Amino acid sequence: MDLVFRARRVITPDGETACDVGVRDGRIVAIEPRLDGAEVIELGDDEVLLPGLVDTHVHVNDPGRSEWEGFDSATRAAAAGGVTTIVDMPLNSLPPTVDVAALEVKRKAAEGRAHVDVGFWGGIIPGNIAELRPLHEAGVFGFKAFLLHSGVDEFPHVTEDELMEVGKELVGLGALTIVHAEDEHSISEPGPDYESFLGSRPGISELTAAAGVLGVAYQTGARMHVVHLSSQEALSVISAGEKLKAPLTAETCPHYLTFTSEEIADGATQFKCCPPIREAANREELWRALGDGRIRMVVSDHSPCTPELKEGDFATAWGGIASLQLGLSAVWTGARPRGYALTDVVRWMAERPAELVGLERKGRIAVGCDADLAVFAPDEAFVVDREKLHHRNPVTPYHGRPLAGVVRRTYLRGKEITGSSPFGELLRRGQA
C-alpha cells in the first residue's frame, strides 16, 4: 500500500467498524483489520473516518460573477467542510451552461483552480432542446430547469409543457433532469418583512409544481429530481411517485433542517432563500422524511453573493444561502439529538448524491472507490465565525451559531487538501 488509514471508527456502506483502509494510486484497494503501508495515518480516539461528501447542488458563479464566489474559494470551502466532489449549477455564471460552447467556457474557468473534483450540470431554457444531447455527450451530469423565474434573466424558466417535451427528449438518453419546483401562479409579491416573504411563497406552490414534475416523470419515464424541497406539503407528491413507481426523487438542504421561520427577524436577509425556510413543525416533517427515505439526500444549494446584494429587505435582497463549508456540521448537529447516526448522515450527504449522478467511485469507503476521505471529530463543538470561512464573502445565516462536529483533514485520492496547490479534477459523466 502507498498509504494506510487506521481508525477505530470508519463509516463504510456496511456500517461503522474499526479497520484499516489501504490506498494505492489514489484508490482504496483493501479494507482489513490490519494492513501494512509505506505511510500509516492513525486517527485519534475522537476521530471518525468518513467518505468525502458529494455536493451536487453548488452555485460557483464563475465565470461572470466570480465576485460572488469562484472556483478557488468555493472548492477551498468545500474541502474545509469534508466535501471532495461538487457539481456546479448552470446558472449565475456568465454565460449560463446551456450549450457546449458555454460548458467549455466554464471548464476553462475551473481548470487548475479546483481543490476538489468538480462536475457540471447543463441548463434547460426555452428553445435549447436541441442543445441537450450535445451537452449530454460532452459529459454534463444532467440538466437543471426552473418552473418560475430563476432570479437571473439570462436563465429563463420553462413551462410544464416544455418540461414534458424535455422529458420525451431525455428519456432515451437516460439523462437526469433536476427541477426548481415552485409554481409561478402560486407566488405573490412579498413585502419587506420575513412573514410577508414566507407568505408570498407558500407550501402549496411547491406541491403544485412537484405534482407537475411527477406527471412528466410518470408519463415519459424520464428521471426527474426535485431540488431543495422545503415544504412538507410537497412530500405527498414524493409519496405518490413511489406508489406509481415513477422515476422521481427529492433532496433537501441543511438550512431547511436547521433554521425555522419563527427565529428569523425582519431585516435578517442572510436567511433569505427560495423556497423559503418554513416553520418548526415543517422542519420536523422534513427530518422524518429523511428518516423514512421520502427525501433521499441533503445537499447545500450554496448560493452566495456579495454583501451589497444581501442588503435591504426581504423583498429586494438576493435569495441564497452560503453554507458549503458548514453542511456536514449543521446536519450532524440536527441529526444526533433526533436519534440518527453518522451512517445516516453519510448516506444522505455522500452515498446518495454520488448515486444520483452516477459517480460510482465517489461517496463510499469501499474497495475500488477513490480515496476521498474526511477526518471528522463528531464530539468537538464550535461557534461559526463568518470571517473564518473560506467562502469569498462573509455572509451566512450560520454566523454565531454553535455546531457540533469538526472536519480536521480532508483527502482527495489519498492526498491531503491543504489549499496551497489545487489538484482537483474536472469530471465528466461516466468518468468516475
Side-chain angles (χ1 to χ4, degrees):
M1 311 293 167
D2 303 327
L3 178 64
V4 170
F5 291 86
R6 181 166 295 151
R8 294 161 184 81
R9 299 179 65 188
V10 180
I11 305 299
T12 76
D14 296 323
E16 182 179 312
T17 186
C19 64
D20 286 4
V21 178
V23 178
R24 184 183 300 121
D25 297 328
R27 296 274 189 93
I28 298 171
V29 295
I31 301 174
E32 301 288 347
R34 199 72 170 181
L35 293 167
D36 294 322
E39 180 184 358
V40 176
I41 297 175
E42 188 159 358
L43 273 63
D45 290 344
D46 65 336
E47 295 177 333
V48 184
L49 190 65
L50 308 181
L53 304 189
V54 178
D55 192 336
T56 55
H57 197 143
V58 179
H59 295 269
V60 178
N61 309 328
D62 193 4
R65 291 189 175 98
S66 56
E67 71 276 13
W68 293 18
E69 192 61 276
F71 282 103
D72 179 74
S73 56
T75 55
R76 284 175 188 266
V83 177
T84 51
T85 303
I86 66 170
V87 186
D88 177 47
M89 283 290 159
L91 72 158
N92 298 349
S93 55
L94 296 169
T97 314
V98 295
D99 54 38
V100 172
L103 175 63
E104 291 308 311
V105 171
K106 178 75 71 77
R107 283 181 169 145
K108 287 178 182 177
E111 188 71 45
R113 299 174 58 215
H115 297 271
V116 302
D117 287 354
V118 179
F120 302 97
W121 294 104
I124 297 168
I125 62 172
N128 85 323
I129 195 166
E131 305 292 342
L132 303 185
R133 182 179 291 268
L135 277 166
H136 178 78
E137 293 172 350
V140 298
F141 284 86
F143 299 93
K144 172 72 175 289
F146 278 74
L147 292 179
L148 80 171
H149 194 280
S150 70
V152 290
D153 292 337
E154 69 274 4
F155 198 96
H157 68 286
V158 296
T159 65
E160 190 176 312
D161 288 342
E162 289 170 323
L163 188 65
M164 185 72 74
E165 293 306 308
V166 166
K168 295 174 182 177
E169 174 71 15
L170 295 181
V171 65
L173 301 177
L176 173 68
T177 301
I178 62 174
V179 185
H180 182 126
E182 287 182 282
D183 172 46
E184 64 176 335
H185 304 294
S186 306
I187 302 295
S188 60
E189 287 296 321
D193 58 284
Y194 192 77
E195 183 178 359
S196 172
F197 171 66
L198 178 60
S200 74
R201 303 181 90 102
I204 191 69
S205 69
E206 289 190 72
L207 185 154
T208 303
V213 177
L214 171 59
V216 174
Y218 181 70
Q219 293 182 55
T220 68
R223 297 170 61 210
M224 295 281 154
H225 179 77
V226 174
V227 296
H228 51 51
L229 189 147
S230 81
S231 167
Q232 62 180 333
E233 287 94 334
L235 291 170
S236 62
V237 175
I238 306 304
S239 298
E242 292 177 355
K243 293 177 182 177
L244 293 169
K245 301 189 184 307
L248 177 70
T249 53
E251 69 188 35
T252 194
C253 304
H255 41 278
Y256 299 128
L257 299 169
T258 300
F259 303 115
T260 64
S261 61
E262 291 91 339
E263 68 187 281
I264 300 175
D266 293 344
T269 53
Q270 66 271 25
F271 289 90
K272 182 180 178 180
C273 56
C274 301
I277 294 163
R278 304 190 187 278
E279 299 84 359
N282 182 92
R283 178 185 65 180
E284 295 313 306
E285 188 57 36
L286 296 181
W287 276 107
R288 283 189 285 273
L290 264 177
D292 64 28
R294 284 174 291 166
I295 296 176
R296 295 282 296 168
M297 51 190 263
V298 183
V299 290
S300 69
D301 189 13
H302 178 68
S303 186
C305 65
T306 60
E308 293 77 17
L309 289 173
K310 275 293 189 183
E311 294 176 353
D313 57 39
F314 281 99
T316 59
W318 173 258
I321 300 288
S323 63
L324 181 55
Q325 187 172 334
L326 300 169
L328 174 58
S329 299
V331 173
W332 174 236
T333 299
R336 182 165 57 177
R338 291 173 173 85
Y340 297 110
L342 277 174
T343 50
D344 298 309
V345 174
V346 165
R347 183 169 60 254
W348 300 329
M349 303 188 76
E351 291 180 17
R352 286 180 176 169
E355 290 172 0
L356 180 78
V357 295
L359 287 169
E360 296 180 357
R361 299 204 311 264
K362 303 293 187 181
R364 297 176 297 135
I365 297 179
V367 172
C369 289
D370 290 344
D372 298 349
L373 304 164
V375 177
F376 187 61
D379 297 324
E380 183 177 347
F382 69 104
V383 176
V384 177
D385 181 349
R386 62 192 172 204
E387 300 295 339
K388 294 181 180 179
L389 299 177
H390 292 277
H391 307 155
R392 174 152 296 176
N393 294 292
V395 180
T396 180
Y398 289 93
H399 177 65
R401 194 172 190 94
L403 296 178
V406 172
V407 176
R408 291 181 175 168
R409 297 181 301 284
T410 305
Y411 297 83
L412 183 65
R413 288 181 293 279
K415 182 178 179 181
E416 185 175 1
I417 303 171
T418 65
S420 60
S421 179
F423 59 93
E425 296 181 356
L426 305 186
L427 305 177
R428 296 172 186 262
R429 179 187 43 78
Q431 171 188 351

